[in-house]
């Protein structure tokens, strides 16, 4: 679904094809020791954490750090390829949420490692904002106390409406125009050579089909 998303309110359409599988590594501003590793529309495949994401290795978001016990990690959620329409209330099976007005896309990764009592399962909100000037900005990351979720945020032109349609390339119409232009140039050059050296034409008559153009 990441390559075909439409917001039902205003039909903002997104194609994240160029971002699928992109690895994001963000630092928490207030806790620099933490690395947040996420994969856009996919899983890291590292088996991060202790419980939920070990078998199979389907950790879509992971928090990594080092302390006196060595390398540590917690699974912060798994990717589910389901489409939602509310960026603030994901279902337990996660959500890929297109935003209205061409603002971007939100990905919810759910069912990470448990903590606390009663048990709460870690989750991550990845916000990809539309920015037509960048392939992908450096992600920021951290924890939202009020919403009780982890987050990663970055910007990309591919999160603008239609952003991954023919990314970085040229349109079909441009290709046709280039072919026609090159063909016309070759026609003129080859025609002039034939008229000049084979038919020994002089002056304006060396132009192919001069009578037609004059």
């Amino acid at each position: 679904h990441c390559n075909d998303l439409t917001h039902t309110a205003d039909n903002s359409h997104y194609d994240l094809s160029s971002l699928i599988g992109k690895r994001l590594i963000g630092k928490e501003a207030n806790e620099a020791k933490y690395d947040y590793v996420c994969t856009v529309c996919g899983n890291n495949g590292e088996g991060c954490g202790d419980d939920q994401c070990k078998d199979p290795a389907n950790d879509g978001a992971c928090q990594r750090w080092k302390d006196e016990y060595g390398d540590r990690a917690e699974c912060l959620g798994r990717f589910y390829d389901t489409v939602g329409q509310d960026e603030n209330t994901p279902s337990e099976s996660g959500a890929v949420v297109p935003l209205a007005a061409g603002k971007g896309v939100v990905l919810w990764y759910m069912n990470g490692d448990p903590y606390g009592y009663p048990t709460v399962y870690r989750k991550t909100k990845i916000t990809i904002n539309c920015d037509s000037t960048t392939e992908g900005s450096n992600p920021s990351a951290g924890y939202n106390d009020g919403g009780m979720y982890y987050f990663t945020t970055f910007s990309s032109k591919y999160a603008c409406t239609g952003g991954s349609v023919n990314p970085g390339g040229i349109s079909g119409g441009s290709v046709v125009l280039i072919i026609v232009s090159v063909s016309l140039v070759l026609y003129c050059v080859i025609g002039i050579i034939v008229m000049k050296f084979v038919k020994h034409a002089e002056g304006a008559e060396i132009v192919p089909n001069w009578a037609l153009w004059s």
Side-chain angles (χ1 to χ4, degrees):
H1 290 102
C2 284
N3 60 358
D4 186 12
L5 298 165
T6 300
H7 192 280
T8 55
D10 64 359
N11 291 322
S12 293
H13 183 264
Y14 300 91
D15 179 358
L16 299 183
S17 296
S18 294
L19 294 176
I20 294 175
K22 180 178 176 63
R23 182 68 61 91
L24 308 174
I25 302 178
K27 287 280 190 182
E28 185 171 347
N30 298 324
E31 289 285 352
K33 72 176 184 179
Y34 292 119
D35 283 335
Y36 292 85
V37 183
C38 304
T39 297
V40 176
C41 295
N43 291 302
N44 299 331
E46 299 174 353
C48 166
D50 298 324
D51 299 290
Q52 295 293 99
C53 305
K54 276 290 189 182
D55 187 20
N58 58 0
D59 53 309
C62 181
Q63 182 189 55
R64 296 189 176 279
W65 72 97
K66 290 184 178 181
D67 60 19
E68 64 271 22
Y69 301 103
D71 292 332
R72 306 287 300 280
E74 294 283 0
C75 176
L76 304 184
R78 294 179 283 176
F79 170 68
Y80 297 86
D81 193 12
T82 56
V83 177
Q85 292 293 323
D86 187 342
E87 65 172 300
N88 296 313
T89 55
S91 70
E92 287 305 309
S93 58
V96 181
V97 185
L99 302 182
K103 293 181 179 180
V105 176
V106 166
L107 309 174
W108 277 102
Y109 291 15
M110 308 294 287
N111 295 312
D113 284 342
Y115 71 96
Y117 182 82
T119 300
V120 175
Y121 292 94
R122 290 172 171 85
K123 58 187 177 183
T124 295
K125 181 181 184 180
I126 301 175
T127 303
I128 313 174
N129 295 311
C130 167
D131 184 345
S132 61
T133 66
T134 180
E135 294 270 339
S137 64
N138 291 326
S140 60
Y143 181 73
N144 183 301
D145 290 312
M148 296 180 64
Y149 60 83
Y150 298 85
F151 67 85
T152 295
T153 303
F154 77 110
S155 301
S156 173
K157 66 181 183 180
Y158 300 126
C160 299
T161 52
S164 290
V165 177
N166 198 25
I170 56 178
S171 67
S174 297
V175 172
V176 172
L177 183 60
I178 291 171
I179 292 174
V180 171
S181 300
V182 171
S183 299
L184 182 60
V185 171
L186 288 175
Y187 166 78
C188 292
V189 171
I190 294 173
I192 289 172
I193 292 174
V194 171
M195 295 298 291
K196 175 71 173 178
F197 297 104
V198 177
K199 296 188 176 182
H200 306 290
E202 298 290 340
E205 293 182 352
I206 66 172
V207 177
N209 294 312
W210 171 249
L212 178 66
W213 305 114
S214 62

